[in-house]
Amino acid sequence: MKILLINQGWFAPELRELGHEVHALGTLWTLDSQVHHPMMHIDEIIKELPNGFTPDRIVVLDNSAPITIV
């Protein structure tokens, strides 16, 4: 399953170990991709993911910061 993690990379290693393709996205430089524009629509985010990554599931993790994905 292709899983998009938003705001944090928590659980990415564990999900990858289970055989899932995972992409972590947010404002942190340690994630797979960074959101550079505040308040991006999820459709725009998916269009900009590398290698045509189209998630089967989207998991939004609370990082106690302002919401950047709408």
Side-chain angles (χ1 to χ4, degrees):
M1 180 181 300
K2 292 182 177 183
I3 302 172
L4 175 62
L5 299 178
I6 296 179
N7 289 332
Q8 289 290 345
W10 300 327
F11 312 115
E14 293 84 356
L15 290 167
R16 288 177 178 130
E17 279 185 28
L18 292 171
H20 299 290
E21 188 176 342
V22 178
H23 190 87
L25 173 126
T27 57
L28 302 173
W29 65 271
T30 55
L31 300 175
D32 299 320
S33 293
Q34 289 72 45
V35 175
H36 300 289
H37 310 285
M39 300 301 292
M40 288 182 69
H41 191 277
I42 191 67
D43 291 339
E44 288 299 313
I45 289 169
I46 291 172
K47 280 196 284 189
E48 292 183 17
L49 291 173
N51 303 319
F53 186 90
T54 304
D56 299 306
R57 296 289 182 267
I58 299 171
V59 179
V60 179
L61 299 162
D62 179 16
N63 66 350
S64 300
I67 296 173
T68 57
I69 311 301
V70 295

